[in-house]
Every structure is written in structure tokens, then in C-alpha cells.
Amino acid sequence: MSEPLSRGDAIYAELLERLGEDQPQPRLDATRRVAELLGDPQNSYPVILITGTNGKTSTSRMTESLLRALGLRTGLFTSPHLQRFNERIVIDGEPIGDDALDVVWQDIKPYVAMVDNELVAQGEPRLTFFETMTALAYAAFADAPVEVAVVEVGMGGEWDSTNIVDAAVSVFTPIDLDHVEKLGRTIAEIATTKAGIIAEGCDVVSARQTPEADTILAERAHSLHVPFLREGVDFAVDSSTVGVGGQLLALRGLSGTMYNEIMLPLYGEHQAQNAAVALAAVEAFTGRRVIAHDILDEGFGQVTVPGRLQLLGATPPVYADAAHNPHGARALAASLSGFFAFEELALVFGSLRDKDSYGVMEALRDSVSTVFVTQSSSERSHSVEDLAEIVRDASATLDVFERDSLEDAIESARNWAEQGESRGVIVAGSIVLIGEVMTIAQQNGWALS
């Protein structure tokens, strides 16, 4: 007999009966309507809204951690979750508890039903999973209450349900090709959609962008007469050196202040860039305030980003990274060459059918020698056979093995790593895959924590 679901898992199961996150509706009126019925909870605190193609979650978590180190009570909304639904709504650094989540859900559920009925009467789909999830998060933050919320945009920007707020700071991580069927087939088209989160009266903070994306973001900011603060112009990563357990940074802030010897417990040049963007976002939010070094030590020092080059097991070393598109895979490849000294690496690879799996493997093929192809439990997963063919097309020199179950794939990779000197394992290709590997590591007793 199976154990009863926790309240958080039960609420998640209810929400899964709605249109999923891969089927967003390009509309804001539905989310605005349920928020209006709830008294517009999203307007009871300032919001820092973060979009981009890669680095959104890392930048969001760093931004929230810095704000909390400043003594503010924070809310954090990210997606998707890795293991438990509650991870998506974080209050003051902790995932929302089942009891608090249930209270908010019971409060908003009648209003969600009202809007569902209105939408159906108009011939539209009822509130989607993500629209309902957004309303739940904004209501939870008001109920807490928080002093500032850091909100990661789901998909796109202009019509994403998170964009029912006028952001205090609109933040852009690097924009690249992803979700092309929904957002556009060029970087310019995708940037145009994402630029929709820029609101009157906000500050705009942007990582380095391609010329096309930079132009579009700048035009949108200038049309609304708001500051457009660019990495490399208004703030920057001055230097990054490998340190024990991460990297040591020197960052130039918005005021021109140099912040030296900042320890970031994360790997990769892209994480240094994310740290610079997060710091600039916090400086902008606080009115260009110079942040004390002890605040930076605390804020960056306590930050964790699960599933982003996370060490899951030590013997043999197994890392998990949520690289699921070519841009993310290129960042992972750069990190593997710049921060690690393995002689050989095995990749456990599972991907979704709507992702550019060939592009991911093209980016990673020179970083690994062996690939164990598998799949997650997602209905959108590539079949093992089809994905193995994609891997072989991307590189004829890799040793490729097919494993129908993820557990078999990870154990095969660990056994492979134990048979040689200086070998390691990296798991990548799907966020769902990463969450399931974390669970396998815990259940089988080789997880570090």
C-alpha cells in the first residue's frame, strides 16, 4: 500500500491536472483576473523580475541571498523544482512548509475556480499550471509577508504570468535560442518577447548580450525612459580565480566600487557573470548603495544552486548540471575545462524531445569520452534509442552505451569511473533527469547530503 501524499505533493498533483508548463498561454488577463480577486497580493511588496535563457535560477538565488544578508525578509519564486514542489516558493531562505502552502492554496482555490469558469465560458482554456502556480506564489509572499520578492520568469517575458507586476528591477541573464516554437526562431524575436518585463519606473540590469538582444533591450528601456545598466559598461567581473570549493571574484559595482576577494562557492565563468548581475540588481534595488564586504561574504557564501555543477557523490565524483540547451552546455564545457582536472569523464545523458539534443552533445563532445544514454520519467523524454543515434551523429569518437533505466545508467557510469584513475561522472541534459538522479543518490546511500 502506497503512503499518502504530503499536502505539498497533493497540491502539486491537483495542479498537474491543468495545462502543463510546456503549454503556456500567451496571455496576462487570466492571471491578472485571479490576482484582482485576491486583492492584488503581488502589489504589496517590490519585485525583482528575472528573465533570460540560461542562468535565471542561479542569478535569482544569488540575488535573494544578498537581499537576505542585508536583513530583508525575502520571497523567491523559481521553476521548475528538482525533487519537491515546495522548492518553487522560498520564504526567508527556506522552502515553504506544507502547512503554510496548504493554507494559501485553500484561500485562493475558490477564486481560481471562479476564473476557470469565466475562461471556459469565453471559450478559453482554464488557468494553466504555471498561471495558478504564479498566483499561489504571489499570495504566499503577501501572506508571509515578505519585504521583497525575487521572481524568475517562467517562459519568455511579455506574456508570462509572472509579469503582472511592475518590477522594481528588471533583470536579464544571457539571451539565446530556446523554446523557439513558443518564443521565436531568432535571438531578436526572443529578446523582443523577454523585453516585455521592462516596466515604467524600473531599473534594467543586463548581462552581456549578443548585439541583437542588446539593441532590443536598450530600445525598450529608452522608450520607457528607464536606466539600462549593462555588464561590461556599468558593472563587470574584473577577475575570477579558481579557489577551494569555488572561485574568488573581483567585481566592479554600479557605483564604480571594486569588491575584491569575494568567495563564490560555485564553479564556472558563467556563475561569476551571474554573481555580477545579481550584485548589480541588488545595488539598483537599494538605490546604488555600496554593499559592505561582510554582507557580500554572507550573501554569496551561503548561496546554493542545486543541480548546477553540484557534487552529488564523492567516491567516485558525480556531478549534476541542468544544462539542457546548447548555451548551457557550452557553459558547462567551459567549466569542466577551467575548473576540473579529470583525465576522463563519463556523461549520463537524457534529454527531452523539444530540446536541441544534437547541439548539447556538440558542445559537450570534447569534454567527455564516454556517454551513457538514458531517459527520465518525463513523457517528453527522447527514447534511449533515438537519443543514442543523436549522440553518435554528434561525435563518432565517443563510446556510447544505452541504458533503459536512469538508475542503471548512473550505476554503470559510477562503475566505469571506479575502474580508472582520475575519472568522474557528469549528469546533464534535462532538469527532470537531475532531480531523479538526486533522489537515486539519496536512496542508494552515496549522496553527500
Side-chain angles (χ1 to χ4, degrees):
M1 186 181 222
S2 60
E3 293 184 8
L5 293 175
S6 69
R7 279 308 301 148
D9 292 339
I11 293 167
Y12 181 47
E14 283 188 67
L15 295 182
L16 285 178
E17 296 174 2
R18 298 173 175 273
L19 281 177
E21 290 173 280
D22 60 331
Q23 302 177 70
Q25 299 299 299
R27 64 189 185 188
L28 281 180
D29 287 347
T31 312
R32 282 199 179 112
R33 175 61 176 150
V34 72
E36 177 187 28
L37 291 172
L38 293 169
D40 286 319
Q42 76 281 2
N43 294 336
S44 62
Y45 43 82
V47 173
I48 297 175
L49 203 54
I50 300 179
T51 191
T53 301
N54 288 293
K56 298 191 300 291
T57 299
S58 296
T59 304
S60 296
R61 292 179 72 98
M62 290 185 208
T63 302
E64 183 275 338
S65 189
L66 287 171
L67 291 167
R68 191 156 30 91
L70 282 167
L72 295 171
R73 184 165 170 80
T74 59
L76 174 66
F77 179 50
T78 59
S79 59
H81 61 276
L82 287 169
Q83 293 181 283
R84 287 206 70 208
F85 175 68
N86 305 53
E87 297 167 20
R88 295 175 181 240
I89 301 175
V90 175
I91 296 172
D92 236 12
E94 295 294 332
I96 190 169
D98 279 353
D99 290 344
L101 184 64
D102 188 46
V103 166
V104 179
W105 175 237
Q106 297 307 325
D107 283 346
I108 77 167
K109 195 172 178 179
Y111 302 101
V112 169
M114 289 174 59
V115 176
D116 282 343
N117 292 334
E118 291 174 0
L119 290 168
V120 171
Q122 296 163 12
E124 291 191 45
R126 64 187 188 138
L127 289 162
T128 67
F129 173 97
F130 195 75
E131 287 170 333
T132 311
M133 178 76 236
T134 300
L136 182 62
Y138 281 142
F141 294 151
D143 197 54
V146 303
E147 295 172 281
V148 56
V150 179
V151 174
E152 177 186 342
V153 172
M155 188 184 294
E158 180 181 15
W159 44 259
D160 187 83
S161 58
T162 58
N163 196 32
I164 61 170
V165 298
D166 288 331
V169 185
S170 298
V171 180
F172 295 87
T173 64
I175 296 171
D176 210 299
L177 297 175
D178 200 16
H179 301 296
V180 293
E181 298 295 335
K182 301 288 194 303
L183 303 180
R185 296 189 174 277
T186 67
I187 289 177
E189 289 175 346
I190 293 172
T192 299
T193 300
K194 293 183 183 293
I197 72 164
I198 298 174
E200 291 184 4
C202 76
D203 282 331
V204 181
V205 173
S206 177
R208 291 182 188 273
Q209 304 289 353
T210 64
E212 309 98 296
D214 185 82
T215 297
I216 286 163
L217 297 181
E219 288 176 352
R220 169 73 175 177
H222 294 157
S223 72
L224 294 174
H225 309 290
V226 297
F228 183 48
L229 306 167
R230 294 178 170 96
E231 182 192 359
V233 178
D234 302 285
F235 64 95
V237 179
D238 190 64
S239 67
S240 168
T241 56
V242 178
V244 177
Q247 53 189 311
L248 202 61
L249 306 180
L251 304 178
R252 175 167 58 83
L254 294 179
S255 64
T257 301
M258 283 302 305
Y259 300 100
N260 296 309
E261 297 186 343
I262 299 168
M263 183 60 197
L264 181 69
L266 302 169
Y267 299 102
E269 291 181 8
H270 62 294
Q271 294 291 20
Q273 179 185 47
N274 292 336
V277 172
L279 174 57
V282 171
E283 288 180 309
F285 178 74
T286 58
R288 310 297 195 277
R289 169 179 171 178
V290 176
I291 310 299
H293 205 286
D294 61 337
I295 299 296
L296 296 181
D297 284 343
E298 180 182 347
F300 283 122
Q302 68 187 359
V303 75
T304 60
V305 187
R308 274 67 175 179
L309 256 179
Q310 179 184 358
L311 180 62
L312 295 183
T315 311
V318 178
Y319 290 85
D321 191 88
H324 58 278
N325 56 39
H327 187 273
R330 289 192 293 271
L332 172 58
S335 299
L336 292 173
S337 63
F339 286 79
F340 299 92
F342 292 111
E343 290 184 7
E344 288 186 286
L345 272 173
L347 171 66
V348 176
F349 186 50
S351 185
L352 303 182
R353 291 189 302 273
D354 58 349
K355 296 297 181 181
D356 182 2
S357 302
Y358 182 90
V360 171
M361 276 310 309
E362 196 173 36
L364 292 177
R365 64 189 178 191
D366 294 331
S367 301
V368 301
S369 60
T370 302
V371 182
F372 293 90
V373 178
T374 188
Q375 61 186 5
S376 71
S377 63
S378 172
E379 295 178 353
R380 296 160 54 205
S381 289
H382 265 300
S383 71
V384 172
E385 184 179 273
D386 289 347
L387 189 57
E389 185 176 343
I390 292 171
V391 172
R392 293 185 178 104
D393 286 345
S395 176
T397 62
L398 292 172
D399 293 327
V400 181
F401 301 95
E402 299 176 27
R403 296 291 186 271
D404 289 332
S405 90
L406 175 55
E407 188 159 3
D408 286 347
I410 192 66
E411 288 309 311
S412 295
R414 293 180 73 238
N415 290 337
W416 173 90
E418 289 171 343
Q419 292 169 13
E421 295 294 327
S422 191
R423 284 182 172 182
V425 177
I426 181 76
V427 186
S430 161
I431 295 174
V432 177
L433 191 84
I434 299 305
E436 292 179 357
V437 166
M438 293 169 70
T439 299
I440 288 169
Q442 291 163 357
Q443 291 177 342
N444 293 349
W446 52 268
L448 284 177
S449 58

